[in-house]
Amino acid sequence: MELHPDRLFPSDPTIRNIARSLYASVANLPIVSPHGHTDPAWFASNAPFGNATDLLLKPDHYVFRMLYSQGVPLESLGIGNGDADPRNAWRILAEHYHLFRGTPSRMWLDWVFSEVFGMTAQLDAGTSDLYFDTITDRLASDDFRPRALFDRYQIEVIATTESPLDALDHHASIRAENQKAGGWQGRVITAYRPDTVVDPEFEGFADNLGRLSDLTGEDCFNWQGYLAAHRQRRAFFKDMGATSTDHGHPTPRTADLGADSAKALFGKICSGEFTAQEAEIFRAQMLTEMAAMSVDDGLVMQIHPGSFRNHNDPLFRRFGRDKGADIPMRTEFVANLKPLLDRFGNDRDLSIILFTLDESVYSRELAPLAGHYPCLKLGPAWWFHDSPEGMRRFRHMTTETAGFYNMVGFNDDTRAFLSIPARHDVARRIDCGFLAQLVAEHRIADWEAAELAHDLTYRLAKKAYRL
Amino acid sequence: MELHPDRLFPSDPTIRNIARSLYASVANLPIVSPHGHTDPAWFASNAPFGNATDLLLKPDHYVFRMLYSQGVPLESLGIGNGDADPRNAWRILAEHYHLFRGTPSRMWLDWVFSEVFGMTAQLDAGTSDLYFDTITDRLASDDFRPRALFDRYQIEVIATTESPLDALDHHASIRAENQKAGGWQGRVITAYRPDTVVDPEFEGFADNLGRLSDLTGEDCFNWQGYLAAHRQRRAFFKDMGATSTDHGHPTPRTADLGADSAKALFGKICSGEFTAQEAEIFRAQMLTEMAAMSVDDGLVMQIHPGSFRNHNDPLFRRFGRDKGADIPMRTEFVANLKPLLDRFGNDRDLSIILFTLDESVYSRELAPLAGHYPCLKLGPAWWFHDSPEGMRRFRHMTTETAGFYNMVGFNDDTRAFLSIPARHDVARRIDCGFLAQLVAEHRIADWEAAELAHDLTYRLAKKAYRL
Amino acid sequence: MELHPDRLFPSDPTIRNIARSLYASVANLPIVSPHGHTDPAWFASNAPFGNATDLLLKPDHYVFRMLYSQGVPLESLGIGNGDADPRNAWRILAEHYHLFRGTPSRMWLDWVFSEVFGMTAQLDAGTSDLYFDTITDRLASDDFRPRALFDRYQIEVIATTESPLDALDHHASIRAENQKAGGWQGRVITAYRPDTVVDPEFEGFADNLGRLSDLTGEDCFNWQGYLAAHRQRRAFFKDMGATSTDHGHPTPRTADLGADSAKALFGKICSGEFTAQEAEIFRAQMLTEMAAMSVDDGLVMQIHPGSFRNHNDPLFRRFGRDKGADIPMRTEFVANLKPLLDRFGNDRDLSIILFTLDESVYSRELAPLAGHYPCLKLGPAWWFHDSPEGMRRFRHMTTETAGFYNMVGFNDDTRAFLSIPARHDVARRIDCGFLAQLVAEHRIADWEAAELAHDLTYRLAKKAYRL
């Protein structure tokens, strides 16, 4: 359970020594977290987090998907079942903890157990209650409230993700607190994630347009009104600190239909009578519309495509979204992005950050695109690939063609607040190991590696996200 | 030619030391071979194997495909040509043995030469006759008969693969021998491979349905009779030791048509008037039907998709199947498996083992699917990827997302009986090297690696295949 | 800036020692460059190369694409802008030189700076003028003229690439020079690249057919005349040293339509009224026609598919081709090559060399195809993958299935003449490192590695290209 100081560094002594020294120079840099899904209510209210199960097990679909895959019913963990005893649920995790060997969840959890809660024994059936009690007790103390951990974690800035329908009340509270004399100074910003009002196949899409109309005073069933509502909400999000938008489409398809066709398509979408193909083209058109607005308002655009959401239909119908059943799909960028790029690709003021779950596009499509188009940058290894091996593959497959400076540093992309430093630490260690290999093979100089380690850890994220 | 005790371990001294010690703990575990293509007649009759060429060259399409790719005519090896002199054919192999540098065939053959036949010189033109004579002589002795080698190889259980049309006489003989006082105790089981009566595009499909009718007394041109015949043969195969079925479809497409549509489609198939698309949907429906039967009878289901069989048409017309011209194709699992998974994916009693020849799906599709669905497990690196580099990629690309415990250990998948221990040995060495790297990078503890080495070598295969 | 003698060798001491010794045995072998894009006018005229910017920056789309991706306007580099000061353009490169960290361009340029021009300081803003002046001065001296560098580089043979419409005057001059008493002995050959008259979507296709008619005296708007013109030009290219043809199609699709359908399709193509699909089928048919001609005349066929040329439409309209906006696409070989292979795949006299920009096909499609078909060989890692990591992936993903002897050694594929030895040196170092790993893991013997190092560096290229 004690974390080894050399963990994740390559074993070769030459490389390890270089990696150690690079890591020492970046290990204590502040955390810049420009993309994630923490709950702003935590920082607005600063209420204690609750028990170990409610904080660390029930919301973490990385963790419970693995238990589920091995036959553990979700109900026994308290998911979709308010009656489950959290101590028993924790014991199930403890008894199955060997399932996580070799996974990033194991590393993140072990870091939280050791560094945050000071546990020294390994989690297993015999230590389950000790873990549950210790963690739950500590969470009740002031030192483990959200703002205290935020400060202890040295987070310079964190972005959350909200729908245009969100009133951003928590963000408003935090900003009020920031401005109070002696108030908490944590910087928590939002990001504009319009899927709920851009994707015609999203649950409740028509209702959502209605709510957007109410919120903005625009007629969102009229194409011009709908676009104006987006502009208005983007401006409001920007006022509340947002520097970016985020788009979770099934594919990165873009379109540039022209005003009349776009308006006609929107009419069909609003009528509720549209095909899957029309929904896809509408999402495609909206990526281009969002790019046009970004050219105007300067918000950085993030595209996160390629997840088949809620693949397990019976599970979705019973338990809802985000239950560990989102499965990556093959993703094509070269033809899909062309309409948007033909219109805005050479615009130096536009910044689009691309993510993928399909590693076969790293070297084939993404690195060549980012190594040419002024508006494109590559986001870090994402989701399932946010892992030591995933990050290594990302660096090995993109660096030679895209270069380091068409990257944006690390995103933790998590709702698991307690593990944020663990995640950034993994990225720092893997990057330092990668740079150390380049130095050991005499491909870059040691002083260049030191500069790059700092860039990858801190400077690139701030620059790319305009923070 | 002497095999180095450290072969296939990574060169880094820290990792190598750990790998050595892990390997020492599993090197002598018995062989569990739950999927392969050895001939049960060997073990039933226990007749000697014949000469070197007939045993080691002519049946091994891994070997003769490489010779063929460099211009060696198959006839000169005795393939499709009974007149070829086996000694001359062997000499052709010897003269071209450098072609196999860096290939798994080279490792497997060298192991057989050294460990089974005690050869000390390397195979080349100068040693060709020495090899041919030594191997051929030894094969004539009792110590090299099939059962003697089976025992010497410490095979705990081996599965062969048979069509539903097979009467399983050899398996019956072996079982009778097993039950005789003082009889041979080798455990040889079958597996249910119904491609010949499930794939409408298989050579002789209609005749095969006729034979299945004769064998079962069911009318296999009637949908209900056809399904009943499958159930009956599965039960018989289970009586003869089978614990699994095996499905070699072009794609992993599944369907869930409903009883009426399935019956209507089967009518078209039986009429012989069907399109390629209808044949594909029928195979898709049959995967779901087989899953339904597995829920009932407990047979583990293996799906081996993605091979373009007999790609070389002139060669196929002249020499028939299995002549080294099966070429992998891009394979999609996420959409293809959904109909089956929507029906049975959450069934904890169903076990489906997935294989692929398309490594791009390891991290994108297979690991996420297996890391969520209770019924899914991942088979080992298959066919062309059953190799040191192939196994390393498999571990690196699947472990973080699927975890070790959604894997099934190693399959040798071979008809080359003599090389079976060599193949398991390669897997044990590569796995120990991989685990050693995790230990050296402080990602798992040494005692965990030791437990995992045993799991990957022995326990997972027994559990996954219900042996 | 000093190049380290161990650069690109793996860091592990055991492997590095073996790699050093293998490399020492091949480092000074002559350069065989069977595929590339140098300008034969250089060797025909032997005129000095001009200034640093005109030679090293403006023609190198690997270099200026990276600058462009980070916001540098192409005009500022003198591209599409004759007024730009070359010294200022060079300064822009110097100021942005950190962008190339970790890229092959950086390695190639550093080699040229250090080994050709003797620079000792690193290129940056402070040394920009020193670099520009030193390089420009030296280029004016006789020792840096094209033929002097060719000899200094120990180039045994280099192939350029020309269109059938090229009169090959420069090649004729060079051959005349070769035959003169005391004349320069450099061997510069051409290769037949017919895209301009084979691809109906090429700019000016109809005009090109007209010019081909004029050049050959055949009626190239008549199917038989068109094929006869190809045969005539191929024979002429062969007289001028060509041993190969080269085909840069969007996909590797092939067709075998039969004479009547092919003729009818050609009629449609000539009429100018054809669909994109028909253009694709015509290109497909032409690959098969080219293979038929290769069976007759012995020219080795190279297929370079999968690049989306000129993806950046506004940039293409302003600056033309080859401006760093060619982006790889997913590429399928198994179904696409089948028509050609069904006709010629088993012909031992035909030789087809396959390249790809889609690394996912290395292990899935290309290695299995090359490991079976007598006519197929694999070209080296191409374009974006002509890099240390790209070459390592190529070797790791193809060797086990295709074997070393279905490969063709290294191609530099460049128009950047000065960097040719740097590129071959990278390949030699990476190959020696890969072989050293195989030796260190006891997968091949040291003497086999030495033989293979020589094969990969020299013998395979000469044999595959019939040089």
Side-chain angles (χ1 to χ4, degrees):
Chain A
M1 253 313 301
E2 210 174 327
L3 306 180
H4 198 286
D6 284 336
R7 65 192 184 277
L8 295 175
F9 296 151
S11 172
D12 176 76
T14 308
I15 297 178
R16 183 166 285 190
N17 280 333
I18 302 168
R20 272 183 195 136
S21 135
L22 291 171
Y23 175 73
S25 74
V26 298
N28 296 316
L29 286 175
I31 288 175
V32 174
S33 176
H35 176 88
H37 304 286
T38 53
D39 185 345
W42 295 333
F43 311 112
S45 77
N46 203 30
F49 274 117
N51 66 52
T53 296
D54 284 351
L55 178 62
L56 300 174
L57 172 52
K58 281 170 63 176
D60 192 336
H61 56 80
Y62 280 81
V63 173
F64 63 71
R65 65 187 277 284
M66 182 66 84
L67 301 175
Y68 187 73
S69 79
Q70 288 278 317
V72 172
L74 293 186
E75 297 86 342
S76 69
L77 304 174
I79 295 165
N81 169 26
D83 294 341
D85 176 17
R87 179 181 300 273
N88 284 347
W90 187 262
R91 176 172 295 276
I92 292 170
L93 171 64
E95 285 167 347
H96 290 83
Y97 201 54
H98 64 283
L99 299 180
F100 296 93
R101 288 172 181 163
T103 70
S105 294
R106 160 72 181 272
M107 287 186 317
W108 299 328
L109 285 172
D110 276 358
W111 185 92
V112 169
F113 297 155
S114 168
E115 300 298 301
V116 181
F117 296 107
M119 306 305 298
T120 52
Q122 165 132 359
L123 178 62
D124 59 25
T127 60
S128 178
D129 285 346
L130 173 67
Y131 263 76
F132 184 81
D133 292 333
T134 307
I135 292 171
T136 304
D137 284 358
R138 295 207 174 148
L139 287 176
S141 75
D142 284 349
D143 284 355
F144 291 81
R145 286 179 187 251
R147 291 180 187 170
L149 288 173
F150 188 106
D151 293 340
R152 174 172 161 192
Y153 284 177
Q154 295 191 68
I155 297 173
E156 184 173 311
V157 55
I158 197 168
T160 64
T161 324
E162 273 78 34
S163 148
L165 303 176
D166 193 304
L168 302 184
D169 291 340
H170 299 305
H171 286 86
S173 301
I174 296 167
R175 295 176 89 75
E177 167 76 19
N178 287 169
Q179 281 150 23
K180 232 172 24 190
W184 181 61
Q185 291 305 306
R187 184 174 172 205
V188 179
I189 62 178
T190 184
Y192 189 73
R193 170 94 173 214
D195 300 357
T196 46
V197 293
V198 155
D199 178 0
E201 297 176 315
F202 208 95
E203 302 97 280
F205 175 71
D207 290 348
N208 293 342
L209 290 194
R211 290 170 58 202
L212 188 63
S213 300
D214 295 344
L215 204 58
T216 59
E218 297 285 349
D219 174 6
C220 292
F221 298 92
N222 166 292
W223 178 234
Q224 290 308 330
Y226 173 73
L227 293 178
H230 274 294
R231 273 187 223 103
Q232 189 193 125
R233 292 307 286 167
R234 289 170 65 108
F236 177 63
F237 272 60
K238 204 174 159 183
D239 280 348
M240 301 306 281
T243 67
S244 67
T245 69
D246 184 30
H247 307 275
H249 292 201
T251 76
R253 183 158 170 183
T254 64
D256 190 15
L257 300 178
D260 290 348
S261 301
K263 187 178 169 180
L265 176 60
F266 185 66
K268 274 199 109 169
I269 296 295
C270 287
S271 76
E273 302 285 311
F274 55 84
T275 64
Q277 176 69 0
E278 286 163 341
E280 173 73 354
I281 298 175
F282 182 72
R283 289 187 295 261
Q285 178 65 25
M286 284 307 297
L287 282 183
T288 308
E289 299 291 345
M290 288 288 127
M293 293 184 199
S294 278
V295 169
D296 290 340
D297 65 19
L299 291 180
V300 172
M301 197 171 172
Q302 302 172 86
I303 306 181
H304 282 89
S307 179
F308 192 129
R309 304 277 171 179
N310 314 309
H311 186 267
N312 188 331
D313 202 51
L315 202 82
F316 173 62
R317 280 185 274 111
R318 174 138 184 217
F319 296 99
R321 298 194 145 245
D322 297 327
K323 292 300 170 287
D326 296 340
I327 309 290
M329 296 181 290
R330 204 147 62 201
T331 307
E332 200 281 340
F333 287 87
V334 180
N336 276 326
L337 290 180
K338 196 166 190 310
L340 189 160
L341 292 172
D342 277 344
R343 195 157 147 206
F344 298 116
N346 298 293
D347 191 315
R348 283 181 206 98
D349 296 325
L350 177 63
S351 183
I352 300 178
I353 302 174
L354 300 175
F355 295 80
T356 192
L357 295 171
D358 179 355
E359 295 179 304
S360 75
V361 305
Y362 281 162
S363 67
R364 186 180 62 219
E365 304 180 17
L366 292 186
L369 286 166
H372 166 69
Y373 280 100
C375 72
L376 296 181
K377 298 263 179 303
L378 300 193
W382 177 39
W383 201 332
F384 297 110
H385 312 309
D386 176 13
S387 66
E389 299 298 334
M391 290 174 185
R392 284 176 181 165
R393 283 195 293 273
F394 177 79
R395 291 281 175 227
H396 281 277
M397 293 203 274
T398 61
T399 304
E400 295 180 317
T401 295
F404 285 108
Y405 294 93
N406 285 308
M407 314 288 182
V408 308
F410 179 68
N411 289 178
D412 55 70
D413 190 27
T414 192
R415 63 201 75 209
F417 178 58
L418 265 73
S419 69
I420 283 178
R423 291 164 192 255
H424 286 257
D425 189 60
V426 170
R428 293 173 189 193
R429 288 173 179 275
I430 294 294
D431 283 343
C432 289
F434 176 71
L435 292 168
Q437 186 192 344
L438 296 186
V439 174
E441 296 183 359
H442 309 289
R443 293 157 73 179
I444 54 174
D446 50 4
W447 65 268
E448 292 179 299
E451 211 171 285
L452 283 164
H454 201 287
D455 288 335
L456 298 179
T457 301
Y458 185 78
R459 283 187 290 242
L460 285 175
K462 290 196 72 167
K463 189 173 170 201
Y465 283 88
R466 303 179 178 174
L467 291 167
Chain B
M1 252 313 301
E2 212 174 325
L3 306 180
H4 197 284
D6 285 335
R7 63 190 186 278
L8 295 175
F9 296 151
S11 171
D12 176 76
T14 308
I15 297 178
R16 183 165 285 189
N17 280 332
I18 302 167
R20 273 182 194 139
S21 135
L22 290 170
Y23 176 73
S25 74
V26 299
N28 296 314
L29 286 175
I31 288 174
V32 175
S33 175
H35 176 89
H37 304 286
T38 53
D39 185 346
W42 296 332
F43 311 112
S45 77
N46 201 32
F49 273 117
N51 66 50
T53 297
D54 283 353
L55 178 61
L56 299 175
L57 172 52
K58 280 171 62 177
D60 192 336
H61 56 80
Y62 280 80
V63 172
F64 64 70
R65 65 186 278 283
M66 182 66 85
L67 300 175
Y68 187 72
S69 78
Q70 289 277 317
V72 173
L74 293 186
E75 296 87 342
S76 69
L77 304 173
I79 295 167
N81 169 26
D83 295 339
D85 176 18
R87 177 181 302 274
N88 284 347
W90 187 262
R91 176 172 296 276
I92 292 170
L93 172 64
E95 285 167 348
H96 291 82
Y97 201 54
H98 64 283
L99 298 180
F100 295 94
R101 287 171 181 164
T103 71
S105 294
R106 160 74 181 271
M107 288 187 315
W108 300 328
L109 285 172
D110 276 357
W111 185 93
V112 170
F113 297 155
S114 168
E115 299 298 299
V116 182
F117 296 107
M119 306 306 297
T120 52
Q122 166 132 357
L123 178 63
D124 58 26
T127 60
S128 179
D129 285 346
L130 173 68
Y131 263 75
F132 185 81
D133 291 334
T134 307
I135 293 172
T136 303
D137 283 358
R138 295 205 175 150
L139 288 176
S141 75
D142 284 351
D143 284 356
F144 291 81
R145 286 179 188 251
R147 291 181 187 170
L149 288 173
F150 189 106
D151 293 340
R152 175 172 161 190
Y153 284 177
Q154 294 192 71
I155 297 174
E156 184 173 310
V157 55
I158 196 168
T160 65
T161 323
E162 273 79 35
S163 148
L165 303 175
D166 194 303
L168 302 184
D169 291 339
H170 298 305
H171 287 86
S173 301
I174 297 167
R175 296 176 88 76
E177 167 76 18
N178 287 169
Q179 282 150 23
K180 234 174 21 190
W184 181 61
Q185 290 306 304
R187 185 176 172 204
V188 179
I189 62 178
T190 184
Y192 190 72
R193 169 94 173 215
D195 300 356
T196 46
V197 293
V198 155
D199 178 1
E201 297 176 315
F202 209 95
E203 302 96 281
F205 175 72
D207 289 348
N208 294 342
L209 290 194
R211 290 170 59 201
L212 188 62
S213 300
D214 295 343
L215 204 57
T216 59
E218 298 284 351
D219 173 6
C220 292
F221 298 92
N222 165 291
W223 178 236
Q224 290 308 329
Y226 172 73
L227 294 178
H230 274 294
R231 274 187 223 103
Q232 189 194 123
R233 293 308 286 166
R234 291 171 63 109
F236 177 62
F237 271 61
K238 206 174 158 182
D239 280 350
M240 302 305 282
T243 68
S244 67
T245 69
D246 185 30
H247 307 275
H249 292 200
T251 76
R253 183 158 170 185
T254 64
D256 190 14
L257 300 178
D260 290 348
S261 302
K263 187 179 167 180
L265 175 60
F266 184 67
K268 274 200 108 170
I269 296 294
C270 287
S271 76
E273 303 284 312
F274 55 84
T275 64
Q277 177 68 1
E278 287 163 341
E280 173 73 354
I281 298 175
F282 182 72
R283 288 187 296 261
Q285 178 64 23
M286 284 308 296
L287 281 184
T288 308
E289 299 292 344
M290 289 288 126
M293 293 184 199
S294 277
V295 168
D296 290 340
D297 64 19
L299 292 180
V300 171
M301 198 172 172
Q302 302 173 85
I303 305 180
H304 282 90
S307 178
F308 191 130
R309 304 277 171 179
N310 314 309
H311 186 268
N312 188 331
D313 202 50
L315 202 82
F316 174 61
R317 280 186 274 110
R318 173 137 185 219
F319 296 99
R321 298 194 145 244
D322 297 327
K323 293 299 170 287
D326 296 341
I327 309 290
M329 295 180 291
R330 205 147 63 200
T331 306
E332 199 281 340
F333 287 87
V334 179
N336 276 326
L337 290 179
K338 196 167 190 310
L340 188 160
L341 292 172
D342 277 344
R343 195 156 147 206
F344 298 116
N346 298 293
D347 191 315
R348 283 181 206 98
D349 296 325
L350 177 63
S351 182
I352 301 177
I353 302 174
L354 301 174
F355 295 80
T356 193
L357 295 172
D358 178 354
E359 295 180 303
S360 76
V361 305
Y362 281 162
S363 68
R364 185 181 62 218
E365 305 181 18
L366 291 186
L369 285 166
H372 166 68
Y373 280 100
C375 72
L376 295 181
K377 298 263 177 303
L378 300 193
W382 177 38
W383 200 333
F384 297 110
H385 312 310
D386 175 12
S387 65
E389 300 298 334
M391 290 174 183
R392 284 176 180 165
R393 284 195 293 272
F394 177 79
R395 290 281 175 228
H396 281 277
M397 293 202 274
T398 61
T399 304
E400 295 180 316
T401 294
F404 286 107
Y405 293 92
N406 284 309
M407 313 288 182
V408 307
F410 179 68
N411 289 179
D412 55 69
D413 189 27
T414 193
R415 63 200 75 210
F417 178 58
L418 264 73
S419 70
I420 283 179
R423 291 164 192 255
H424 286 258
D425 189 61
V426 170
R428 292 173 189 193
R429 288 173 179 274
I430 293 295
D431 283 343
C432 289
F434 176 70
L435 292 168
Q437 186 192 345
L438 296 186
V439 174
E441 294 183 1
H442 307 289
R443 293 155 73 178
I444 54 174
D446 50 4
W447 64 269
E448 293 179 298
E451 212 171 285
L452 283 163
H454 201 289
D455 289 333
L456 298 179
T457 301
Y458 185 78
R459 283 187 291 243
L460 286 175
K462 291 197 71 166
K463 190 173 169 202
Y465 282 90
R466 303 178 178 174
L467 292 166
Chain C
M1 250 317 298
E2 210 174 328
L3 306 180
H4 198 284
D6 285 336
R7 65 192 184 278
L8 296 175
F9 296 151
S11 172
D12 175 76
T14 308
I15 297 178
R16 182 165 286 190
N17 280 332
I18 303 168
R20 272 184 195 137
S21 134
L22 291 171
Y23 175 73
S25 74
V26 298
N28 296 314
L29 285 175
I31 287 174
V32 175
S33 176
H35 176 88
H37 303 286
T38 52
D39 186 345
W42 295 333
F43 311 112
S45 76
N46 202 32
F49 274 118
N51 66 51
T53 297
D54 283 352
L55 178 62
L56 299 175
L57 172 52
K58 280 171 63 178
D60 192 336
H61 56 81
Y62 280 80
V63 173
F64 64 71
R65 66 187 277 285
M66 181 67 84
L67 300 175
Y68 187 71
S69 79
Q70 288 277 318
V72 173
L74 293 185
E75 297 87 341
S76 70
L77 304 174
I79 295 167
N81 169 25
D83 294 341
D85 175 17
R87 178 182 301 273
N88 283 348
W90 188 261
R91 176 172 295 277
I92 292 170
L93 171 64
E95 284 168 348
H96 290 82
Y97 201 53
H98 64 283
L99 298 180
F100 295 93
R101 287 171 181 165
T103 70
S105 293
R106 160 73 180 273
M107 287 187 315
W108 300 327
L109 285 172
D110 276 357
W111 185 92
V112 169
F113 297 155
S114 168
E115 299 298 301
V116 181
F117 296 108
M119 306 306 297
T120 52
Q122 166 132 358
L123 178 62
D124 58 25
T127 59
S128 178
D129 286 346
L130 173 67
Y131 264 75
F132 184 80
D133 292 333
T134 307
I135 292 171
T136 303
D137 284 357
R138 294 204 176 149
L139 287 176
S141 74
D142 285 350
D143 284 355
F144 291 80
R145 286 179 187 250
R147 292 180 186 170
L149 288 173
F150 189 105
D151 293 340
R152 175 173 161 190
Y153 284 176
Q154 293 191 70
I155 297 174
E156 184 173 309
V157 55
I158 196 167
T160 64
T161 324
E162 274 77 35
S163 148
L165 302 175
D166 193 303
L168 304 185
D169 291 340
H170 299 304
H171 286 85
S173 301
I174 297 167
R175 295 176 89 75
E177 168 75 19
N178 286 169
Q179 283 150 21
K180 233 173 19 190
W184 182 61
Q185 290 305 305
R187 185 175 171 204
V188 179
I189 62 178
T190 184
Y192 189 72
R193 169 92 173 215
D195 299 358
T196 46
V197 292
V198 156
D199 178 0
E201 297 177 316
F202 208 94
E203 302 96 280
F205 175 72
D207 290 348
N208 293 342
L209 289 194
R211 290 171 59 202
L212 188 62
S213 300
D214 295 345
L215 204 56
T216 58
E218 298 283 350
D219 174 5
C220 292
F221 297 92
N222 165 291
W223 179 234
Q224 290 307 331
Y226 173 72
L227 294 179
H230 274 294
R231 275 188 223 102
Q232 188 193 125
R233 293 308 285 166
R234 291 170 64 108
F236 176 62
F237 272 61
K238 205 173 158 183
D239 280 348
M240 302 304 282
T243 68
S244 68
T245 70
D246 185 30
H247 306 276
H249 292 200
T251 76
R253 183 159 171 183
T254 64
D256 189 14
L257 299 178
D260 289 349
S261 302
K263 186 179 168 179
L265 176 59
F266 185 66
K268 275 199 107 169
I269 296 297
C270 287
S271 77
E273 302 285 311
F274 56 84
T275 64
Q277 177 69 1
E278 286 162 340
E280 172 73 353
I281 298 174
F282 183 70
R283 288 186 296 261
Q285 178 64 25
M286 284 309 296
L287 282 183
T288 308
E289 299 293 345
M290 289 288 127
M293 294 184 199
S294 278
V295 168
D296 290 339
D297 64 20
L299 292 180
V300 171
M301 199 171 169
Q302 302 172 86
I303 305 180
H304 283 90
S307 178
F308 191 130
R309 304 276 171 178
N310 315 309
H311 186 268
N312 188 331
D313 202 51
L315 202 81
F316 174 61
R317 280 186 275 112
R318 174 139 184 217
F319 297 98
R321 298 193 146 244
D322 297 326
K323 293 298 171 288
D326 296 341
I327 309 290
M329 297 180 290
R330 203 147 65 200
T331 306
E332 200 280 340
F333 287 87
V334 179
N336 276 326
L337 291 180
K338 197 166 189 312
L340 189 161
L341 292 172
D342 277 345
R343 195 156 147 207
F344 298 116
N346 298 293
D347 191 316
R348 284 181 205 98
D349 295 325
L350 177 64
S351 183
I352 301 177
I353 302 174
L354 300 174
F355 295 80
T356 192
L357 296 171
D358 179 353
E359 294 180 305
S360 75
V361 306
Y362 281 162
S363 67
R364 185 180 64 218
E365 304 180 19
L366 291 187
L369 285 166
H372 166 68
Y373 280 101
C375 72
L376 296 181
K377 298 264 178 302
L378 299 193
W382 177 38
W383 200 332
F384 297 111
H385 311 310
D386 175 13
S387 66
E389 300 297 334
M391 290 174 184
R392 283 175 181 165
R393 284 195 293 272
F394 177 79
R395 291 281 175 227
H396 281 277
M397 293 203 274
T398 61
T399 304
E400 294 180 318
T401 294
F404 286 108
Y405 293 93
N406 285 308
M407 314 289 182
V408 307
F410 179 67
N411 290 179
D412 55 68
D413 190 26
T414 192
R415 63 200 76 210
F417 178 59
L418 264 72
S419 69
I420 283 179
R423 292 164 192 255
H424 286 258
D425 189 61
V426 170
R428 293 173 189 194
R429 289 173 178 275
I430 293 295
D431 282 343
C432 289
F434 176 70
L435 292 168
Q437 186 191 346
L438 296 187
V439 174
E441 294 183 0
H442 307 289
R443 293 155 74 176
I444 54 173
D446 49 6
W447 64 270
E448 292 179 298
E451 212 171 285
L452 283 163
H454 200 288
D455 289 334
L456 298 179
T457 301
Y458 185 78
R459 283 186 291 242
L460 286 174
K462 290 197 72 167
K463 191 173 167 201
Y465 282 90
R466 303 179 179 175
L467 292 168

